[in-house]
Amino acid sequence: MESSPHHVCDLMTRAAVAVGRQAPFKDMVERMEQWQVSALPVLEGDGRVVGVVSEADLLPKEEFRNSDPDRFTQQRRLSDLAKAGAVRAEELMSTPAVTVHADATLAEAARIMALRHVKRLPVVNAEGLLEGVISRGDLLKVFLRPDNDLADEIRRDVVDVLFPAPVEPVHITVVDGVATLTGRVQDAARIPLAARLVRGVEGVVGVDCRLTATGEG
């Protein structure tokens, strides 16, 4: 069985769609439509990521097309108004780009997306060169892992390590990503740790830990 994917490099899309600083507005819209992506990394030189243009960066052009914003709106939406008049990627991109490294964990990538309110992250190496892109959809793919694969990993990496000699066999069942553990073990202190480690297995949706220890009812 293949190991559970724990890092961005395991799930990222390596053939990333990107544009240069001088990319025209219409070209960016066409690429987003053609490749069904919501954002494009902006590159310069030998592939260094200098910014990102998202759908949100492009929408002000339509929002303010026929409007004459009042002074309050002008002050509050200054950045969006500037983007409404932009025609090139370098005028529209958010910079510095919010990126992630290929060796980052999936949890780290998900946390960055949540905190920075982005749907996609360019994946860069130590020099800032583009290696791929990871999206929210990519992160969700871990929940498509078969239940039997999850059960095998829980057995190998958690149960057999924490409870090599259980009082009674530890039974593991996984249904729709929810893992249930039953059995009797010697060390009660390890039961909460087992539940936490099972919850950390990529693809596990929930944990029902019914393990008991010697001396418990």
Side-chain angles (χ1 to χ4, degrees), residues 37-40 51-57 83 93-100 108-123 133-139:
V37 297
S38 58
L40 297 168
V52 173
V53 174
S54 70
E55 292 172 331
D57 296 318
K83 291 180 179 180
M93 66 185 185
S94 300
T95 186
V98 181
T99 62
V100 69
E108 288 171 338
R111 192 174 300 116
I112 293 172
M113 288 184 187
L115 292 175
R116 302 302 295 270
H117 305 289
V118 296
K119 299 177 181 179
R120 300 166 62 85
L121 291 171
V123 183
V133 172
I134 190 161
S135 68
R136 292 176 179 175
D138 294 326
L139 295 179

Side-chain angles (χ1 to χ4, degrees), residues 48-144:
R48 186 167 61 90
V49 179
V50 293
V52 173
V53 174
S54 70
E55 292 172 331
D57 296 318
L58 301 177
L59 280 175
K61 186 172 291 294
E62 181 63 27
E63 179 184 358
F64 294 104
R65 179 178 299 282
N66 297 313
S67 66
D68 185 17
D70 56 31
R71 181 173 299 178
F72 175 75
T73 300
Q74 291 178 17
Q75 294 174 343
R76 186 171 57 90
R77 304 283 302 280
L78 186 62
S79 175
D80 288 339
L81 286 168
K83 291 180 179 180
V87 296
R88 303 288 177 185
E90 64 181 359
E91 302 170 304
L92 288 156
M93 66 185 185
S94 300
T95 186
V98 181
T99 62
V100 69
H101 291 289
D103 59 356
T105 66
L106 302 185
E108 288 171 338
R111 192 174 300 116
I112 293 172
M113 288 184 187
L115 292 175
R116 302 302 295 270
H117 305 289
V118 296
K119 299 177 181 179
R120 300 166 62 85
L121 291 171
V123 183
V124 300
N125 62 16
E127 289 73 41
L129 302 181
L130 184 66
E131 293 190 327
V133 172
I134 190 161
S135 68
R136 292 176 179 175
D138 294 326
L139 295 179
L140 291 175
K141 289 177 183 176
V142 296
F143 296 107
L144 300 177

Side-chain angles (χ1 to χ4, degrees), residues 177-214:
V178 178
T180 302
L181 279 65
T182 58
R184 188 179 296 272
V185 298
Q186 293 179 337
D187 192 347
R190 294 191 175 189
I191 294 177
L193 175 59
R196 182 170 63 83
L197 291 177
V198 171
R199 191 172 294 110
V201 171
E202 298 290 357
V204 167
V205 175
V207 181
D208 182 6
C209 187
R210 303 178 186 178
L211 296 175
T212 58
T214 302

Side-chain angles (χ1 to χ4, degrees), residues 19-25 27-28 87-90 92:
V19 295
R21 282 181 173 272
Q22 297 301 313
F25 187 99
D27 180 61
M28 290 183 285
V87 296
R88 303 288 177 185
E90 64 181 359
L92 288 156

